[in-house]
Amino acid sequence: MARLAGKTAIITGAASGFGEAMARRFAEEGANVVVADLNLVGAEAVAQSIGENALAVHTDVTRKEEIDAMVQATMERFGRIDIMVNNAGYSHRNGSMLGVDEDTYELIAAINMKAIYYTALAVVPIMERQGSGSIITTASTAGLRPRPGLTWYNASKGWAISVTKSMAVELGPKNIRVNCLCPAAGETPMLGLFLGEDTPERRAQFKATIPLGRLSVPLDVANAALYLASDEAQFITGVALEVDGGRCI
């Protein structure tokens, strides 16, 4: 039996990278999926390729009214929300912490942090009425093992891990589980920002820090998210799951 049969999942940042892989993997396991992204053309392409159990929604996660509209569209189409994946993320380019301008800092804070607040306000009451729910955030190994060059991004992901644990404690009695994923840098459109520059030399340097010897790929993260979203993880909450090939050891 499909592991997410009868469930509905919203995934932000789902037009590409980790989010796209989650949308496809969840749909393979029977879920209705909402492909939410600022890039509506990309989101529509992903949703169309998945089929009629997918809905594309233009969503700027930095704006509360767009989060609310995303949730409303989901309820109108599918009637419930079982899984909320806060996957949309943003980073400054690897470099000096003093070289990051204020606008970039504000965008990192809005996408990586405040959006989690907005989605919680919108979906927690629905999950509470339903009697269950699963909230998953794509954090990062950067929040667990911060390294020079990505200071403000690292801090935002540390915040995401902390809020995951706090939400898990508060929402546990409502049967709402809250977990996050901590991937190592992977084959996504943001790789160049994380590395400073996407060159074979920089990739080789980064791979040398990972015991399993490669970057993450979207399917690695999608499979981990699938487990946390499924009933197989019904006693798992407050976890920051490392999907990193051993980098954080």
Side-chain angles (χ1 to χ4, degrees):
M1 183 176 177
R3 296 158 75 184
L4 299 182
K7 296 184 184 293
T8 295
I10 299 174
I11 305 166
T12 63
S16 62
F18 296 153
E20 178 184 356
M22 290 178 200
R24 296 186 184 282
R25 192 71 186 90
F26 284 19
E28 288 172 357
E29 291 291 338
N32 300 314
V33 293
V34 175
V35 183
D37 205 289
L38 191 62
N39 174 7
L40 181 57
V41 173
E44 287 176 335
V46 172
Q48 184 175 9
S49 69
I50 290 173
E52 62 183 18
N53 62 323
L55 171 68
V57 179
H58 176 276
T59 307
D60 179 348
V61 298
T62 70
R63 300 176 63 86
K64 184 179 184 298
E65 62 270 25
E66 295 211 16
I67 293 290
D68 291 341
M70 173 189 76
V71 169
Q72 182 177 350
T74 303
M75 294 299 289
E76 289 175 354
R77 173 71 175 270
F78 299 117
R80 61 185 297 113
I81 299 170
D82 301 281
I83 303 155
M84 177 69 235
V85 184
N86 298 298
N87 173 72
Y90 189 69
S91 176
H92 55 89
R93 185 171 295 278
N94 194 307
S96 168
M97 59 181 279
L98 302 181
V100 177
D101 63 83
E102 187 174 357
D103 287 345
T104 300
Y105 171 83
E106 293 288 356
L107 190 56
I108 290 167
I111 296 174
N112 297 356
M113 298 164 58
K114 198 169 187 179
I116 300 173
Y117 165 71
Y118 286 152
T119 59
L121 292 179
V123 305
V124 167
I126 294 169
M127 291 178 173
E128 186 174 0
R129 289 195 298 271
Q130 292 172 174
S132 65
S134 174
I135 298 172
I136 301 168
T137 293
T138 302
S140 172
T141 56
L144 295 170
R145 188 173 180 269
R147 311 305 300 159
L150 291 170
T151 289
W152 309 117
Y153 173 79
N154 296 344
S156 73
K157 293 304 184 179
W159 186 95
I161 293 167
S162 181
V163 81
T164 290
K165 294 178 179 293
S166 188
M167 288 172 64
V169 172
E170 183 165 342
L171 298 178
K174 303 177 188 297
N175 198 31
I176 299 171
R177 298 184 298 107
V178 189
N179 295 289
C180 65
L181 300 166
C182 295
E187 302 282 355
T188 73
M190 291 210 304
L191 182 60
L193 293 175
F194 295 138
L195 299 182
E197 56 179 351
D198 188 1
T199 65
E201 293 76 17
R202 288 291 291 142
R203 286 191 176 216
Q205 289 172 4
F206 189 82
K207 288 178 184 178
T209 70
I210 300 176
L212 289 184
R214 66 170 175 84
L215 300 172
S216 70
V217 296
L219 187 58
D220 294 323
V221 182
N223 281 330
L226 172 62
Y227 167 68
L228 291 177
S230 75
D231 290 341
E232 295 168 12
Q234 61 184 311
F235 201 55
I236 307 297
T237 196
V239 165
L241 180 60
E242 298 163 22
V243 188
D244 67 347
R247 176 171 164 79
C248 282
I249 298 170

